[in-house]
Amino acid sequence: MLFVNILLFLLIFLILSDLYIKYSPKSDLKLIPINYKIKKKDGLNELIIDFKITNTSKTKETMVSNINFELDFFKSKGNEYCQNLNYQEDIYIYDNNKIKNLNNYWPTTIIKSNSELFVRSIYKFNNNNFREKIKYLWIKVFWDNYGHFGISKNKDCLLINLDCQKKRPKEVFEISINNKYNAFAIKTDLLGCFDDPVNTLIAYCKGIVEKNDILTIGESPLAIMQNRYIDPQNLEYSLFSKTLCYFFHPTSSLATACGMQLLINRIGITRITFALIIGFLFKLVGIKGMFYRLTGSESSLIDDISGTVTPYDKSIVMGPLNADLFCKEVSQYLNIDVAVVDVNDLGGVKVLASSNKAVNEILKRNLISNPAGNGDEKTPIVIVREKSK
């Protein structure tokens, strides 16, 4: 009887904690990238970035009390790290269908419920050769939300490909998997949230794919294109996340308060706690992986910081959304089977979604060697093709 009472008390405590996390006041503002373009004007290289801030709250208005942009010229292959690069920054907002120059001062701006604010930032570079040295820019947006929840300081990061307008020959690497299948890894640029997932995949694969091919893309690159990554400083860590993370292997993405808090925000403390207990009991009888079965794909698809390529190694990457629909759209255009996969160097292969379930087992058998690689190969797209008889 005492055990039952303790269990009941624990259940009530966990449910109340979940309700507090779910319904406690918080900002409903989201920063959403729209597009960018690069052009020459008055002898300067001009980068124009458009995005919007949306308020998804049905009742509460929220203020953006401050916003600042920072350019990071991160070191990577084909990208020099530049300091003291001269550029001019201008920020504009769309007010009553008119664009307004803020003259480098952000006034506290109210965003009403169910509404959005369009923002444009323009960078003018007077270095004639800067595009020869720099291929990618990492735009950091630091912005403050102010409202009924108090104040929250947020950070969003956006990748800009300065070579996006250049047409380059496609690079394809042929990899023999076994006696029956070959893999073709397609090299891409660094992908970002300005890249439309469907159009990007079609652009890279058109003219390469053949009838009966199976086209795959990694779940993390797809999630990144969907803007499904978050800076750890945007999370509010609780005692639960700092405690529950100790129950996981040190290499797990749930072994930190960051990864665990993200999962708590998605599925709740109650489900996680009971999945841990049940998973432990199943481990005692030799059955592993029960925790991830009970918590669903959200738990297994979280990549904590350092879990993906630069510059996303500072962010937590979540699983992709609407993967089935994505596969269907690409499949209909290219007329081949398409799948979203999660593959690692340890031989683990998961098929998250596919346009044809019949190809799932083929992929599980033939992607064990991970032809896409687990480093900075920039080959997130892999075609599996049966060898000619």
Side-chain angles (χ1 to χ4, degrees):
M1 187 65 181
L2 178 61
F3 175 76
V4 173
N5 288 336
I6 293 174
L7 192 63
L8 184 61
F9 174 80
L10 175 63
L11 179 61
I12 294 172
F13 174 71
L14 292 175
I15 291 174
L16 290 175
S17 299
D18 274 336
L19 290 173
Y20 174 77
I21 291 174
K22 183 176 181 179
Y23 294 107
S24 59
K26 57 181 68 70
S27 173
D28 288 312
L29 296 189
K30 298 182 185 301
L31 187 144
I32 302 174
I34 300 175
N35 55 47
Y36 67 91
K37 57 185 176 182
I38 305 158
K39 65 179 184 179
K40 278 270 194 180
K41 185 177 180 181
D42 300 328
L44 301 176
N45 290 286
E46 194 168 272
L47 170 63
I48 303 168
I49 308 171
D50 290 317
F51 59 92
K52 63 181 178 180
I53 301 174
T54 65
N55 186 354
T56 58
S57 172
K58 295 179 181 179
T59 57
K60 299 291 186 181
E61 62 180 30
T62 303
M63 288 169 271
V64 179
S65 55
N66 195 26
I67 190 167
N68 287 297
F69 299 86
E70 179 183 309
L71 298 188
D72 188 0
F73 310 94
F74 62 92
K75 178 68 176 173
S76 67
K77 188 176 180 180
N79 202 73
E80 292 188 15
Y81 184 85
C82 296
Q83 293 178 313
N84 303 320
L85 188 66
N86 296 322
Y87 64 88
Q88 175 187 332
E89 177 188 78
D90 290 301
I91 302 173
Y92 300 81
I93 60 173
Y94 290 87
D95 188 17
N96 295 322
N97 296 321
K98 293 182 180 179
I99 191 166
K100 179 181 178 182
N101 190 336
L102 300 184
N103 297 314
N104 294 318
Y105 176 82
W106 181 270
T108 297
T109 305
I110 298 173
I111 304 180
K112 297 185 179 298
S113 59
N114 288 317
S115 64
E116 53 194 16
L117 174 72
F118 289 88
V119 182
R120 169 173 286 182
S121 58
I122 299 179
Y123 297 91
K124 297 175 182 178
F125 299 87
N126 56 19
N127 303 67
N128 292 327
N129 64 342
F130 96 102
R131 288 187 65 182
E132 298 174 5
K133 295 182 177 182
I134 300 171
K135 184 175 181 179
Y136 302 106
L137 294 177
W138 188 235
I139 310 294
K140 299 177 182 178
V141 186
F142 300 91
W143 56 302
D144 298 345
N145 295 190
Y146 185 86
H148 61 289
F149 49 85
I151 187 167
S152 66
K153 295 184 177 294
N154 301 282
K155 176 184 175 183
D156 287 272
C157 298
L158 316 170
L159 182 77
I160 301 293
N161 180 0
L162 297 176
D163 283 351
C164 64
Q165 297 167 341
K166 293 182 180 179
K167 289 187 178 180
R168 291 181 298 278
K170 296 177 181 179
E171 295 185 63
V172 183
F173 305 96
E174 183 175 354
I175 304 164
S176 180
I177 299 176
N178 50 44
N179 293 331
K180 193 173 181 181
Y181 286 93
N182 279 334
F184 295 85
I186 301 176
K187 192 174 182 63
T188 70
D189 284 326
L190 269 176
L191 301 175
C193 57
F194 288 105
D195 296 304
D196 178 81
V198 173
N199 293 337
T200 298
L201 207 64
I202 291 172
Y204 276 109
C205 299
K206 192 176 180 181
I208 297 175
V209 295
E210 298 178 0
K211 185 179 179 181
N212 298 323
D213 281 351
I214 307 171
L215 177 61
T216 71
I217 183 170
E219 47 90 16
S220 289
L222 176 57
I224 285 170
M225 287 190 285
Q226 294 177 336
N227 201 24
R228 297 270 295 163
Y229 57 94
I230 184 173
D231 192 279
Q233 81 169 45
N234 294 352
L235 296 169
E236 295 183 11
Y237 308 106
S238 64
L239 177 62
F240 292 103
S241 63
K242 295 176 181 178
T243 303
L244 293 173
C245 67
Y246 277 95
F247 292 93
F248 292 84
H249 191 276
T251 60
S252 170
S253 289
L254 300 180
T256 66
C258 308
M260 179 55 67
Q261 187 62 52
L262 188 60
L263 184 61
I264 287 174
N265 293 347
R266 292 290 183 273
I267 67 173
I269 302 166
T270 306
R271 185 174 171 185
I272 294 172
T273 302
F274 279 93
L276 271 172
I277 295 171
I278 295 171
F280 173 74
L281 294 176
F282 271 85
K283 264 190 177 181
L284 294 178
V285 295
I287 300 175
K288 297 181 179 180
M290 187 56 66
F291 171 84
Y292 293 99
R293 296 181 204 175
L294 294 173
T295 52
S297 60
E298 286 281 3
S299 59
S300 60
L301 295 180
I302 292 174
D303 282 332
D304 204 351
I305 65 170
S306 81
T308 187
V309 297
T310 305
Y312 301 103
D313 59 335
K314 303 293 191 295
S315 303
I316 306 173
V317 180
M318 299 166 275
L321 290 176
N322 303 317
D324 285 302
L325 178 60
F326 166 82
C327 291
K328 182 179 178 181
E329 290 181 353
V330 178
S331 175
Q332 287 177 341
Y333 189 93
L334 295 175
N335 199 28
I336 59 170
D337 291 319
V338 178
V340 178
V341 297
D342 181 15
V343 185
N344 59 49
D345 284 340
L346 301 177
V349 180
K350 295 179 183 177
V351 181
L352 275 61
S354 64
S355 58
N356 178 8
K357 301 300 180 186
V359 305
N360 291 11
E361 289 304 318
I362 297 174
L363 294 175
K364 289 177 182 178
R365 291 194 303 268
N366 289 284
L367 292 180
I368 292 175
S369 60
N370 192 13
N374 235 33
D376 60 354
E377 293 91 345
K378 299 190 186 74
T379 52
I381 304 170
V382 171
I383 298 168
V384 176
R385 180 179 298 165
E386 191 170 6
K387 293 181 178 179
S388 301
K389 296 181 181 179

